[in-house]
Amino acid sequence: MAAGGDNEELKLLGFWASPFVHRAQVALQLKGLTSCEYVEEDLREKSDLLLASNPVHRKVPVLLHAGKPVFESMLIVQYLDEAFPAAGASFLPADPHARAAARFWAAYADDHFFSTWIKAFVGTTEEEKAAANEGAAVALQKMEDALEECSKGKAFFGGDNPGYVDIALGGFVAWIRGYHQVAGVNLLDDARTPLLAAWAERFAALDAAKAAVPDVDRIADFARHDLLPLLQHLHGKADK
Amino acid sequence: MAAGGDNEELKLLGFWASPFVHRAQVALQLKGLTSCEYVEEDLREKSDLLLASNPVHRKVPVLLHAGKPVFESMLIVQYLDEAFPAAGASFLPADPHARAAARFWAAYADDHFFSTWIKAFVGTTEEEKAAANEGAAVALQKMEDALEECSKGKAFFGGDNPGYVDIALGGFVAWIRGYHQVAGVNLLDDARTPLLAAWAERFAALDAAKAAVPDVDRIADFARHDLLPLLQHLHGKADK
């Protein structure tokens, strides 16, 4: 299938501040699938299309391709590789061992970095928030090692081009920067994770990231005022 | 690479009662990679090879192929598909959309079935255990729907042959049966999930499952006497 062959049949259901949606948007940009229609969801009043497309989790992002839904951000990224093999470089490397490593570290970004860090936002005590920030920083130190191992001295986890792990962790870069503004805690610290701090600069400077990810000021503003009420609303409905 | 081309270079570090190890073992059997060397780990005194191979999580299973480690059970399953494409049928379907669905449901087995059900083993109150069993049963009802959707009326999630989701959920079948013996709770209930109950019979009757998975009686005995002390030991070392 040629790049953008049936580009016009792509639709992404998203929410502008979601780091998981940013992953899908960056991946679409990197593949050159820029005519994908973007539909902003109101997470307090999810559309019938979202509820019908993702009946199990009812979460964004959802990619619709010729009407068929794909959900979960990193499954969307893999889907774009597999459904549009001619569109841009593959996000996953060719070598099976390197593919397994990329999948491992992308999952690590969710299961160890994000799932720890989220408690810095939703925690109820200062101790809990401090522990979450420290746990997140430790997870990023592991990813600093992974960057060295996967990149082999090149710019990205994926080598010369941003790949699967870059997209997975890159989705959080604007949030890490926004959180620095809001809470005064810099998780991409030159002293603690110098390689990752430089990587984040490179990631944020990508045309794909600039096109897909909102300004850090907007994220910081959202984190300050809107995140907790939204999470409480969604949690109250047992439907995040 | 022909089936078993460098079969003799495969080594699996495992623990006989682990459902995650069973997944890797079933996958090796289904691929015909039966000369893979199996090394039983003592989880209280992990081998230097395990600690060196999986320094991040220190968990089994680890597959070593020509000395290079792959860890996480479902990453091993995908690795076998990608490193031995000529060995048996592919675990993942060819269609990108069906691949995304298979990856989604395999992750669902971990994130929604297993992570809920584990509290039935480690929970401290009867209420907590009952809630865990009920949550696990609800997750299996979702997977009953997924079986109908993925199998299109055939024997397995993967169609005529067991595939990625079959291996993911199949790894738990002996434990679900052992738990039935130990706790009197049947999570593969004919009344509640008739398709999945019949699927579990078919899965357990596979030559690959019979070769890879221990007797239910042994699992039940382990669950009764050895599981909690082992988990407490591992948890006490912050190293599960």
Side-chain angles (χ1 to χ4, degrees):
Chain A
M1 193 181 295
D6 52 1
N7 213 342
E8 44 294 327
E9 297 178 47
L10 285 171
K11 184 182 288 195
L12 184 71
L13 311 185
F15 175 67
W16 71 273
S18 163
F20 303 101
V21 174
H22 299 159
R23 290 173 170 176
Q25 291 175 295
V26 168
L28 284 161
Q29 289 287 331
L30 288 169
K31 287 285 184 198
L33 300 168
T34 50
S35 71
C36 174
E37 182 190 352
Y38 176 78
V39 180
E40 178 76 3
E41 284 285 332
D42 177 351
L43 297 185
R44 292 169 197 257
E45 287 295 335
K46 293 175 181 177
S47 71
D48 291 342
L49 183 58
L50 174 58
L51 299 180
S53 301
N54 188 351
V56 180
H57 291 323
R58 305 172 175 201
K59 287 194 290 195
V60 290
V62 173
L63 180 76
L64 291 149
H65 184 197
K68 290 174 81 176
V70 181
F71 25 89
E72 300 290 316
S73 59
M74 296 313 294
L75 296 188
I76 292 173
V77 173
Q78 278 188 90
Y79 179 83
L80 293 175
D81 249 359
E82 294 175 346
F84 299 92
S90 172
F91 296 134
L92 282 167
D95 171 64
H97 189 269
R99 293 167 77 86
R103 290 183 178 123
F104 177 83
W105 287 110
Y108 192 91
D110 281 350
D111 300 343
H112 295 270
F113 169 67
F114 175 74
S115 71
T116 304
W117 190 38
I118 187 70
K119 294 174 198 131
F121 295 90
V122 302
T124 51
T125 66
E126 288 311 309
E127 289 71 22
E128 201 178 347
K129 291 179 186 189
N133 283 324
E134 178 56 22
V138 169
L140 288 180
Q141 282 182 302
K142 294 274 188 194
M143 296 205 69
E144 170 101 350
D145 298 340
L147 176 59
E148 202 165 5
E149 182 193 320
C150 295
S151 70
K152 298 187 174 66
K154 294 181 175 172
F156 296 103
F157 286 90
D160 290 322
N161 297 308
Y164 195 68
V165 187
D166 297 286
I167 295 167
L169 188 60
F172 296 121
V173 165
W175 269 93
I176 292 172
R177 294 175 160 198
Y179 186 73
H180 189 186
Q181 283 190 20
V182 171
V185 175
N186 182 12
L187 290 177
L188 285 169
D189 187 325
D190 267 346
R192 202 156 171 178
T193 50
L195 297 177
L196 220 48
W199 165 87
E201 295 289 337
R202 286 191 294 274
F203 183 86
L206 288 168
D207 288 342
K210 286 191 279 191
V213 180
D215 287 345
V216 170
D217 289 350
R218 267 188 86 199
I219 296 283
D221 201 52
F222 178 83
R224 229 176 241 117
H225 302 297
D226 303 320
L227 177 66
L228 279 184
L230 178 62
L231 289 178
Q232 280 157 1
H233 176 85
L234 295 177
H235 201 69
K237 295 176 74 173
D239 174 8
K240 51 180 175 157
Chain B
M1 193 179 296
D6 51 3
N7 213 342
E8 45 294 328
E9 297 177 48
L10 285 171
K11 184 182 287 195
L12 183 72
L13 311 185
F15 175 67
W16 71 273
S18 162
F20 303 101
V21 174
H22 299 160
R23 289 173 170 175
Q25 290 175 295
V26 167
L28 284 161
Q29 288 287 332
L30 288 170
K31 287 285 185 198
L33 300 167
T34 50
S35 71
C36 174
E37 182 190 351
Y38 176 79
V39 180
E40 178 75 4
E41 284 285 332
D42 177 350
L43 297 185
R44 291 169 197 257
E45 287 295 335
K46 293 175 180 176
S47 72
D48 292 342
L49 183 57
L50 174 58
L51 298 179
S53 301
N54 187 352
V56 180
H57 292 322
R58 305 170 176 203
K59 287 194 289 194
V60 291
V62 173
L63 181 76
L64 291 149
H65 183 197
K68 290 175 80 175
V70 181
F71 25 89
E72 300 289 317
S73 58
M74 296 312 294
L75 296 187
I76 292 173
V77 174
Q78 278 188 90
Y79 179 83
L80 293 175
D81 248 359
E82 294 176 345
F84 299 93
S90 172
F91 296 134
L92 282 167
D95 172 64
H97 189 269
R99 292 166 77 86
R103 290 183 178 123
F104 177 83
W105 287 111
Y108 192 92
D110 281 349
D111 299 343
H112 294 271
F113 169 67
F114 175 74
S115 70
T116 303
W117 190 39
I118 187 70
K119 295 175 197 130
F121 295 89
V122 301
T124 50
T125 66
E126 287 311 308
E127 289 71 22
E128 202 178 347
K129 291 179 186 189
N133 283 325
E134 177 57 21
V138 168
L140 288 180
Q141 281 182 302
K142 294 274 187 194
M143 295 205 70
E144 170 102 351
D145 298 341
L147 176 59
E148 201 165 6
E149 183 193 319
C150 296
S151 69
K152 298 188 173 67
K154 293 181 176 171
F156 296 102
F157 286 90
D160 290 322
N161 297 308
Y164 195 68
V165 187
D166 297 286
I167 295 167
L169 188 60
F172 296 121
V173 165
W175 269 92
I176 291 171
R177 293 174 162 198
Y179 186 72
H180 188 185
Q181 283 191 20
V182 171
V185 175
N186 182 12
L187 289 177
L188 285 169
D189 186 326
D190 267 347
R192 201 155 172 180
T193 49
L195 297 178
L196 220 48
W199 165 86
E201 295 288 338
R202 285 192 293 274
F203 183 86
L206 288 169
D207 288 341
K210 286 191 279 191
V213 180
D215 286 346
V216 170
D217 289 350
R218 267 187 86 199
I219 296 282
D221 201 51
F222 178 83
R224 231 177 238 118
H225 302 297
D226 304 320
L227 177 65
L228 279 185
L230 178 62
L231 290 178
Q232 281 157 0
H233 176 85
L234 295 176
H235 200 70
K237 294 176 74 174
D239 175 5
K240 53 181 174 155

